């Protein structure tokens, strides 16, 4: 072990991540995670390319979707390849610095996802409740500023929380009962005072797991009130239809996290539910937006029709 400048602070050379224990099906689960990873990368890359290449999608809502796809790719790349490396190749040791880096990027991209969902909820709130002022309030410049603030704020908060780890001394145990360098699990094994780190963990949870759902619920309460004022059911359905994709994405993000919190206390159950709560939303998000967004479906259909036209012409000859 290497010591920091303060001789009482012990930084281990590596941590040992337990992963799934005594499970004959663990290999199949890791293969399943790799399939999720592959679908997530392909799906989110397609969404990013479609939005970037088509000017008709250069609008506030699709800037939010573009940002969400970027965060999904970032989180998936920060998490699943490390899981594959650690478990599939039976290499459960991770260096101290690599552990902190992994923790930072996983937490960073997850927090970006949460506030992107808040911004998309605000976008739907203004579109339905204040449609005449939508273009004045929510425009591309507004979205660029908001997402710049979100990325900067998340960088600041996660840098502080990760840097505070360096003041902890790990002199008793280097075993993490998790599937990655989990901040919460890391807080359970230091042998010096970690009260500041625990306080920071509560602050992070308040900012990123409590506040976002609260703001999203408030937005949809406003939307519900606005829908009640629409006299025709056809008008209500048309307005609500624009929220379907966002509601499904919010559900796919927060419901697995909620299930993870109430999962069975066994290590394997917590690891399976936890890894799926992180891995499934990035896979589902592009599927949801492609299937529920007419513009994206039309653009994909046009691309396939344009590419298949020469093939059909050659066959007819």
């Amino acid at each position: 072990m290497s010591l920091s400048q303060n001789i009482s602070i012990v930084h281990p050379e590596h941590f040992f991540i337990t992963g799934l224990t005594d499970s004959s099906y663990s290999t199949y689960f890791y293969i399943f995670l790799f399939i999720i990873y592959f679908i997530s990368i392909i799906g989110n890359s397609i969404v990013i390319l479609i939005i970037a290449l088509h000017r008709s999608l250069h609008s506030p809502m699709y800037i939010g979707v573009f940002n969400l796809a970027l965060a999904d790719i970032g989180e998936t790349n920060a998490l699943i390849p490390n899981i594959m490396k650690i478990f599939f190749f039976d290499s459960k040791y991770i260096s101290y610095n690599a552990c902190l880096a992994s923790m930072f990027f996983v937490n960073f991209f997850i927090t970006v996802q949460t506030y992107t969902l808040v911004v998309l909820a605000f976008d739907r709130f203004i579109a339905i409740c204040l449609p005449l002022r939508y273009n004045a309030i929510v425009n591309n410049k507004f979205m660029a500023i908001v997402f710049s603030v979100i990325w900067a704020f998340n960088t600041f908060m996660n840098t502080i929380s990760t840097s505070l780890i360096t003041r902890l001394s790990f002199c008793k145990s280097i075993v993490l009962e998790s599937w990655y360098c989990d901040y919460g699990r890391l807080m359970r094994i230091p042998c010096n005072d970690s009260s500041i780190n625990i306080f920071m963990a509560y602050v992070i949870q308040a900012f990123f797991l409590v506040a976002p759902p609260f703001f999203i619920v408030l937005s949809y309460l406003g939307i519900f009130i606005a829908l009640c004022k629409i006299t025709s059911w056809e008008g209500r359905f048309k307005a609500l239809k624009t929220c379907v994709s966002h509601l499904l994405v919010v559900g796919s993000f927060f419901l697995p996290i909620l299930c993870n919190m109430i999962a069975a206390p066994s290590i394997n159950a917590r690891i399976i539910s936890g890894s799926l709560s992180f891995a499934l939303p990035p896979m589902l998000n592009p599927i949801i937006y492609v299937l529920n967004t007419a513009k994206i479906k039309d653009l994909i259909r046009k691309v396939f029709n344009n590419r298949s036209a020469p093939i059909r012409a050659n066959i007819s000859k």
Side-chain angles (χ1 to χ4, degrees), residues 16-30 33 83 86-87 90 92 176-179 266-273 275:
F16 182 84
I17 300 178
T18 59
L20 294 173
T21 57
D22 301 324
S23 175
S24 57
Y25 300 103
S26 59
T27 300
Y28 299 105
F29 180 70
Y30 298 137
L33 284 182
I83 295 177
I86 292 171
F87 301 124
D90 198 25
K92 296 187 177 183
L176 294 177
E177 295 180 345
S178 184
W179 71 99
S266 70
I267 295 175
N268 283 356
R270 178 168 46 77
I271 288 174
I272 291 174
S273 62
S275 56

Side-chain angles (χ1 to χ4, degrees), residues 17 129 143 154 174 190 207 290 301:
I17 300 178
C129 299
M143 283 295 196
N154 287 356
I174 59 170
F207 270 113
V290 168
R301 194 178 296 114

Side-chain angles (χ1 to χ4, degrees), residues 13 38 46 51 119 221-222 261 310:
E13 293 180 1
F38 181 78
I46 290 173
I51 295 175
V119 174
L221 282 176
M261 291 179 177

Side-chain angles (χ1 to χ4, degrees), residues 78-304:
L79 186 66
I80 297 183
N82 281 334
I83 295 177
M84 296 298 102
K85 177 183 175 182
I86 292 171
F87 301 124
F88 199 64
F89 297 103
D90 198 25
S91 175
K92 296 187 177 183
Y93 287 97
I94 183 171
S95 70
Y96 178 84
N97 290 331
C99 181
L100 296 190
S102 172
M103 180 191 304
F104 172 85
F105 285 110
V106 170
N107 293 340
F108 172 76
F109 285 114
I110 289 174
T111 53
V112 169
Q113 288 171 331
T114 59
Y115 273 97
T116 300
L117 295 178
V118 173
V119 174
L120 288 171
F122 177 77
D123 172 84
R124 292 299 86 204
F125 170 79
I126 299 298
I128 294 174
C129 299
L130 301 169
L132 298 179
R133 298 185 59 192
Y134 177 81
N135 291 329
I137 297 173
V138 183
N139 49 50
N140 290 357
K141 182 179 179 181
F142 171 82
M143 283 295 196
I145 294 173
V146 167
F147 283 119
S148 296
V149 171
I150 287 174
W151 284 70
F153 177 70
N154 287 356
T155 301
F156 174 73
M157 293 294 290
N158 284 287
T159 298
I160 290 177
S161 64
T162 304
S163 62
L164 285 174
I165 297 292
T166 60
R167 62 175 294 278
L168 296 179
S169 182
F170 300 93
C171 52
K172 294 180 180 179
S173 174
I174 59 170
V175 178
L176 294 177
E177 295 180 345
S178 184
W179 71 99
Y180 79 111
C181 284
D182 185 353
Y183 191 94
R185 292 289 138 186
L186 209 59
M187 291 303 96
R188 299 186 177 206
I189 61 174
C191 50
N192 62 341
D193 181 30
S194 61
S195 56
I196 295 178
N197 302 79
I198 295 173
F199 172 76
M200 191 64 191
Y202 284 123
V203 171
I204 294 290
Q205 288 179 356
F207 270 113
F208 300 114
L209 289 180
V210 178
F214 175 75
F215 289 127
I216 291 171
V217 170
L218 279 184
S219 297
Y220 276 98
L221 282 176
I223 290 172
F224 176 76
I225 294 171
L227 290 176
C228 290
K229 295 179 181 178
I230 300 176
T231 55
S232 68
W233 282 102
E234 183 181 354
R236 292 176 185 176
F237 178 76
K238 186 177 179 181
L240 185 60
K241 190 178 179 181
T242 64
C243 301
V244 170
S245 296
H246 181 257
L247 284 171
L248 290 173
V249 170
V250 168
S252 72
F253 183 84
F254 286 107
L255 286 179
I257 293 176
L258 180 62
C259 293
N260 185 37
M261 291 179 177
I262 61 176
S266 70
I267 295 175
N268 283 356
R270 178 168 46 77
I271 288 174
I272 291 174
S273 62
S275 56
L276 289 178
S277 71
F278 282 11
L280 285 177
M283 180 189 73
L284 295 175
N285 291 347
I287 297 173
I288 290 170
Y289 272 108
V290 168
L291 293 180
N292 287 282
T293 305
K295 279 189 176 182
I296 294 180
K297 283 194 294 186
D298 290 341
L299 286 171
I300 292 176
R301 194 178 296 114
K302 287 179 181 178
V303 170
F304 278 107

